[in-house]
């Protein structure tokens, strides 16, 4: 089971500080998780400018120019945000028994280590 998933609120914990033009301390939702590269794309973090060649769509409108979008960041440089204190925390797993339709099943649940709340 993954520690960081799509839709989680994370905070950047390494890199240049915001005073020096970096992203450390910024919080954002995870847009995409690239499992094979150990990277995540976070909303509003690690913006890059990309020069796209000018083209035309089928309707005739022009596309291209300079676009900015989020670039992947290594998963070790982000930490999950605790839902209670809104500060970065580590993720733990615990097993719970769930009864559904008279059948008991053990399920792994992610929780924030600082507050103990389920994620």
């Amino acid at each position: 089971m993954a520690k960081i998933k799509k839709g989680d609120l994370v905070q950047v914990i390494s890199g240049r500080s915001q005073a020096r033009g970096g992203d450390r301390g910024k919080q954002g939702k995870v847009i995409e998780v690239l499992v094979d590269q150990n990277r995540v794309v976070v909303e509003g973090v690690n913006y890059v400018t990309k020069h796209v060649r000018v083209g035309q769509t089928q309707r005739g409108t022009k596309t291209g120019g300079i676009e900015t979008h989020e670039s992947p960041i290594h998963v070790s440089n982000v930490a999950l945000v605790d839902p209670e204190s809104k500060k970065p925390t580590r993720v733990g797993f615990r097993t719970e028994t769930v009864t559904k339709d008279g059948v008991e099943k053990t399920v792994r649940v992610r929780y924030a280590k600082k507050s103990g709340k389920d994620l």
Side-chain angles (χ1 to χ4, degrees):
M1 187 177 232
K3 293 191 178 200
I4 295 177
K5 294 182 176 182
K6 182 178 176 180
D8 285 344
L9 184 66
V10 294
Q11 180 172 335
V12 179
I13 58 172
S14 67
R16 294 174 69 180
S17 65
Q18 291 182 30
R20 294 181 177 261
D23 290 328
R24 185 173 63 206
K26 285 187 180 178
Q27 291 185 355
K29 284 195 180 261
V30 175
I31 300 171
E32 185 181 3
V33 178
L34 307 170
V35 180
D36 53 330
Q37 300 172 358
N38 287 331
R39 292 181 174 268
V40 290
V41 179
V42 182
E43 187 177 49
V45 173
N46 200 18
Y47 270 112
V48 293
T49 57
K50 202 162 195 180
H51 295 262
V52 180
R53 183 176 292 178
V54 176
Q56 281 189 341
T57 60
Q58 291 181 350
R59 292 183 176 177
T61 58
K62 298 240 179 201
T63 61
I66 299 174
E67 297 177 355
T68 59
H69 59 86
E70 294 93 352
S71 183
I73 186 170
H74 199 270
V75 74
S76 66
N77 297 333
V78 296
L80 207 72
V81 173
D82 193 342
E84 199 171 84
S85 65
K86 303 295 183 210
K87 292 187 176 178
T89 182
R90 291 194 284 186
V91 181
F93 296 98
R94 64 172 159 238
T95 57
E96 293 182 0
T97 56
V98 177
T99 306
K100 188 175 181 183
D101 298 330
V103 178
E104 284 192 4
K105 192 174 186 181
T106 57
V107 181
R108 288 177 73 197
V109 178
R110 293 187 309 158
Y111 73 97
K113 289 220 175 182
K114 275 191 180 174
S115 65
K117 291 259 182 174
D118 287 352
L119 298 172

